[in-house]
Amino acid sequence: MDVHTAEFGFELRTCRWAEREWPPGETDGADTVTLVARQLGTTRRRWDTIVLECDPEGLRRRARFGPDRLDSDQLHVVRNAPAEWTYYRDALPDPGYPWRYVRESIHEADDRGILETRKRGNRIEIRRNWPYPDWLERLVAIENKPDLDASAARALGSQLEYDVAVGLADSVWVATRRTDEPVEPVLFEDLPVEAGVLALEPDDLTAEVAWYPRSLPVTEPGTRILERPDGGARDGSAARFEYADPGWKADKRLAIAERAYERGWRSFIDTMRPDCRRFELRAPDGSQALPYCTAKGRCQTAAECAGSCPDFEPEPPAWRTRGWPIEGGPGKGLRRLLEDRRRRRRPGL
């Protein structure tokens, strides 16, 4: 299995290309910073790749809050925390859920050093350390399909229709492997015209825009498709849907961006087994370190690289002692390497 034709390997190459070249087709050097993450979304929809276009100064101010994400409850607190001491119920809007969960978030934020608290009698008062910055400019979703056959196109079409209807991302793309055809075959598939198409050559990390996407109305109400007619081509019954409130969309976009800020796309190692003696990172072209399994002789997928793998073999204890040049063994060294590269993408940390 070629690393670049398997969807996992293609996805990692797409992430690296986006980190280097985004936005596609533009050469004017837009004044934004790009953060790339993978496998994020909502409970109903998860995207392969997410690209955050960020305000540089806002992103630097975001670093004051640390490398870990702020979840939706913590965001509710820090975004509304006052500059002067105020009773927390007077300072914060009604969250729509019990206040005891708000108090938990307040104490968590205090423990992280991003909020100040004090008690006045039986009341908890709060004061912000810094205002939460407006650092996210655009959120872009990419679906990776190196080989888009008819069945995959049908499934992808319904997913993209959902994305377009909700309008949670500013734009959606499909990334597929570039062919030598005059017109990319993906353009003949029944995909929403609002979705862009990126023809990527993963071997040399070059790409062409085969179809530009339309900007989606992220500040307007969206539509969540809950159920589609399943009676075949003659079924004219309506789909079931619900509206997505603009406020919900804004909160969800920021929560996704916070998770992307924490995770990045190099977090694939967090769900793999770098402590296996068969695990390596290889960079055949010098542009990207990809996971490699010496037992399989190829780039393994995240699902394959687990403790249940029949080829799994723990690092020998001697690798972690007796002067091994990487403290803690090679597995921990690989983890630190990817964490260091992830940290470089977040200015101010």
Side-chain angles (χ1 to χ4, degrees):
M1 178 174 57
D2 183 355
V3 59
H4 299 156
T5 56
E7 188 164 325
F8 175 70
F10 184 85
E11 182 175 294
L12 295 184
R13 295 298 274 177
T14 301
C15 290
R16 180 57 177 150
W17 174 86
E19 194 174 66
R20 292 172 53 181
E21 305 293 340
W22 196 268
E26 294 187 17
T27 58
D28 58 356
D31 187 21
T32 60
V33 176
T34 297
L35 291 181
V36 182
R38 52 180 294 273
Q39 296 299 321
L40 286 174
T42 68
T43 54
R44 290 189 176 94
R45 181 77 171 96
R46 184 174 63 180
W47 294 306
D48 292 337
T49 300
I50 287 179
V51 180
L52 305 182
E53 297 178 11
C54 309
D55 170 68
E57 183 55 33
L59 185 62
R60 188 169 295 276
R61 293 199 302 270
R62 166 59 186 82
R64 295 171 175 172
F65 295 83
D68 297 333
R69 67 170 174 163
L70 299 172
D71 63 27
S72 57
D73 293 345
Q74 292 167 349
L75 282 171
H76 177 74
V77 172
V78 300
R79 293 175 70 191
N80 296 288
E84 303 296 335
W85 289 111
T86 309
Y87 176 46
Y88 78 96
R89 286 209 188 191
D90 293 337
L92 304 178
D94 188 334
Y97 49 82
W99 283 100
R100 66 178 181 273
Y101 298 118
V102 177
R103 291 194 297 271
E104 290 177 6
S105 298
I106 288 173
H107 292 309
E108 290 170 356
D110 185 29
D111 291 340
R112 290 178 57 171
I114 58 178
L115 186 76
E116 292 185 280
T117 65
R118 72 179 185 184
K119 271 201 170 184
R120 304 277 289 188
N122 291 325
R123 291 190 164 198
I124 299 175
E125 295 185 345
I126 61 174
R127 181 175 69 180
R128 72 187 184 207
N129 286 334
W130 321 278
Y132 185 83
D134 186 15
W135 60 279
L136 177 66
E137 293 187 345
R138 297 182 78 249
L139 186 153
V140 179
I142 304 176
E143 286 297 312
N144 299 297
K145 296 294 179 184
D147 299 306
L148 192 62
D149 58 23
S151 60
R154 285 193 296 271
L156 182 60
S158 62
Q159 293 171 348
L160 294 175
E161 287 175 0
Y162 179 92
D163 295 339
V164 170
V166 174
L168 190 59
D170 289 271
S171 61
V172 293
W173 292 76
V174 178
T176 189
R177 183 162 189 149
R178 190 169 63 201
T179 67
D180 295 327
E181 301 295 329
V183 178
E184 291 294 333
V186 65
L187 295 177
F188 296 109
E189 301 294 345
D190 187 18
L191 302 178
V193 297
E194 294 87 350
V197 175
L198 190 69
L200 176 71
E201 179 45 65
D203 293 325
D204 59 10
L205 281 182
T206 59
E208 296 177 355
V209 178
W211 185 268
Y212 279 95
R214 295 181 185 175
S215 293
L216 301 178
V218 294
T219 59
E220 300 177 7
T223 303
R224 281 190 289 258
I225 301 173
L226 304 178
E227 184 180 353
R228 298 172 182 273
D230 57 2
R234 297 178 181 272
D235 189 350
S237 56
R240 288 199 311 114
F241 65 91
E242 65 182 10
Y243 287 111
D245 181 80
W248 175 88
K249 290 168 59 173
D251 291 343
K252 186 61 66 175
R253 281 163 54 86
L254 191 54
I256 293 172
E258 280 285 338
R259 292 166 62 197
Y261 182 87
E262 174 188 58
R263 182 185 298 186
W265 64 268
R266 291 179 177 86
S267 60
F268 62 83
I269 203 167
D270 295 338
T271 56
M272 302 179 86
R273 296 301 303 265
D275 58 332
C276 174
R277 68 183 302 164
R278 311 285 188 181
F279 187 96
E280 295 180 357
L281 287 179
R282 292 189 177 184
D285 60 357
S287 67
Q288 180 181 6
L290 295 169
Y292 186 88
C293 177
T294 58
K296 296 178 174 60
R298 57 173 172 82
C299 173
Q300 71 278 40
T301 67
E304 290 175 319
C305 192
S308 59
C309 173
D311 296 315
F312 174 75
E313 188 175 347
E315 295 173 340
W319 285 16
R320 306 187 188 99
T321 59
R322 299 178 184 175
W324 181 264
I326 304 176
E327 182 182 355
K332 288 189 176 180
L334 298 178
R335 191 182 296 276
R336 284 195 298 270
L337 171 67
L338 293 183
E339 173 58 31
D340 180 62
R341 294 189 177 183
R342 176 169 50 179
R343 192 180 188 93
R344 293 180 198 172
R345 306 300 303 182
R346 296 173 291 182
L349 289 180

